[in-house]
Amino acid sequence: MIDETVEEISEMQTHSSSVVAVKAAQALRDLTDREYPTVEDYLRSLSRNSSALRRANPSHASLHTTQHRIVNTVSDAEPDNVAAAKELTNEAIDDVIDSVESSKDRAAARAVSEIADDDVLLTHDFSSTVLAAIDDAIEAGHSFEVYVTESRPRFLGRKMTRHLSDRDGVDVTLIVDSAAGHFMPEVDRVLVGMDCIVDDTLYNRIGTYPIATAAADNDVPVTVVGAAAKYVDGAFAFENEIRSPSEVLREPADGFKIANPAYDATPTHLLDTVVTDDGVHEY
């Protein structure tokens, strides 16, 4: 299961950072079904496999922090035997999953206050937290028109569009990324998720920065929603992921290069609010 999860994360079959963190945590349960002669062997295996999961996407802050939390919890407890180490691992995994899911739910619930009834929204990429916020708002009686960018090159916005199209009270339109500026005058609020915020920079799926810039030029507020744990300090150095050129162009590049970064950097001064599980941060 661990090898499959590493491949799934690496291939971006799972998009949302909170979902990635949960799947990676669950994958470590596979180790508790294996046999180890000593505690030391088990802890080495736990650390090695956790490192493999983190390397699958070096830019996911949630993935890194949750994996470190699981490994450190087990190692710092200095278990007396393998059985105790496995029990600690399962408990740490449960705690991480509960923390990620509850943080996402609280952040989504807080975001409802930022979304006015009948707002025209624009969102980018696929964010399970943004989706949960819209679901909570619909349950509260709101309705929306939503523009969703395709989010090239992986077209992650198409998945978001399909989810939203199943919701009553949502009129959803899929647009190409470059049309965001064209439709921005019709938009009341840009609502996006986040990979992480480091110092004064939001790192999120490539294309977020030009959308935020277009929003600022049109006086459209930008709201970011995500777990407070995605505010990270110097303990995590964001490393952008340069993905395969084949995602952009299937045939070989002949006489030219293809650049395919996964994320871009948006200065927080372009944001209006960041909604997390612990509050609303204004910029």
Side-chain angles (χ1 to χ4, degrees):
M1 180 179 179
I2 293 176
D3 290 342
E4 290 85 350
T5 304
V6 167
E7 182 178 1
E8 180 178 341
I9 294 171
S10 178
E11 294 296 323
M12 281 176 62
Q13 296 172 29
T14 298
H15 318 307
S16 174
S17 59
S18 59
V19 176
V20 167
V22 167
K23 285 199 171 187
Q26 290 173 330
L28 290 178
R29 290 196 199 277
D30 187 46
L31 302 179
T32 65
D33 293 327
R34 302 179 187 177
E35 297 298 324
Y36 296 89
T38 67
V39 174
E40 290 73 22
D41 288 321
Y42 177 80
L43 294 178
R44 278 194 296 271
S45 179
L46 178 63
S47 178
R48 183 175 63 253
N49 282 280
S50 178
S51 294
L53 288 162
R54 295 196 305 273
R55 288 195 303 272
N57 192 321
S59 56
H60 262 315
S62 296
L63 172 62
H64 284 249
T65 56
T66 51
Q67 286 293 310
H68 279 300
R69 178 175 164 185
I70 293 169
V71 174
N72 292 341
T73 296
V74 179
S75 300
D76 292 349
E78 299 181 352
D80 294 329
N81 52 62
V82 174
K86 290 180 177 180
E87 183 177 356
L88 285 166
T89 301
N90 280 317
E91 291 173 356
I93 291 170
D94 290 339
D95 287 343
V96 159
I97 292 173
D98 179 68
S99 176
V100 170
E101 295 290 357
S102 61
S103 294
K104 180 178 73 175
D105 291 343
R106 291 195 302 272
R110 285 186 185 275
V112 174
S113 64
E114 299 293 298
I115 307 173
D117 191 19
D118 298 321
D119 261 359
V120 177
L121 305 175
L122 186 146
T123 191
H124 178 61
D125 190 42
F126 178 86
S127 166
S128 61
T129 311
V130 167
L131 188 61
I134 293 175
D135 281 340
D136 286 349
I138 292 171
E139 189 173 342
H142 298 281
S143 59
F144 305 99
E145 181 178 351
V146 184
Y147 288 103
V148 185
T149 56
E150 282 190 306
S151 310
R152 280 187 55 88
R154 293 292 301 226
F155 300 107
L156 305 180
R158 294 181 182 181
K159 178 179 179 181
M160 189 70 163
T161 301
R162 292 188 183 96
H163 278 277
L164 288 173
S165 66
D166 289 335
R167 269 67 172 174
D168 292 331
V170 177
D171 182 7
V172 60
T173 302
L174 179 68
I175 63 174
V176 297
D177 292 14
S178 55
H182 173 78
F183 288 103
M184 196 61 71
E186 304 176 25
V187 173
D188 295 308
R189 183 175 299 273
V190 172
L191 180 65
V192 296
M194 63 171 160
D195 188 76
C196 64
I197 292 179
V198 183
D199 297 325
D200 297 322
T201 303
L202 162 70
Y203 294 100
N204 198 50
R205 186 67 58 203
I206 192 75
T208 303
Y209 179 40
I211 289 173
T213 302
D217 193 50
N218 286 271
D219 294 322
V220 175
V222 177
T223 292
V224 177
V225 59
K230 293 182 180 180
Y231 272 95
V232 293
D233 53 25
F236 172 77
F238 181 84
E239 179 182 343
N240 205 343
E241 181 185 4
I242 306 303
R243 298 190 58 79
S244 171
S246 64
E247 293 181 350
V248 178
L249 190 67
R250 291 186 177 180
E251 60 267 26
D254 187 8
F256 59 92
K257 298 178 181 178
I258 296 175
N260 186 19
Y263 302 93
D264 61 16
T266 302
T268 54
H269 69 77
L270 292 176
L271 310 179
D272 182 65
T273 52
V274 175
V275 183
T276 71
D277 47 299
D278 68 359
V280 178
H281 308 264
E282 296 184 354
Y283 287 90

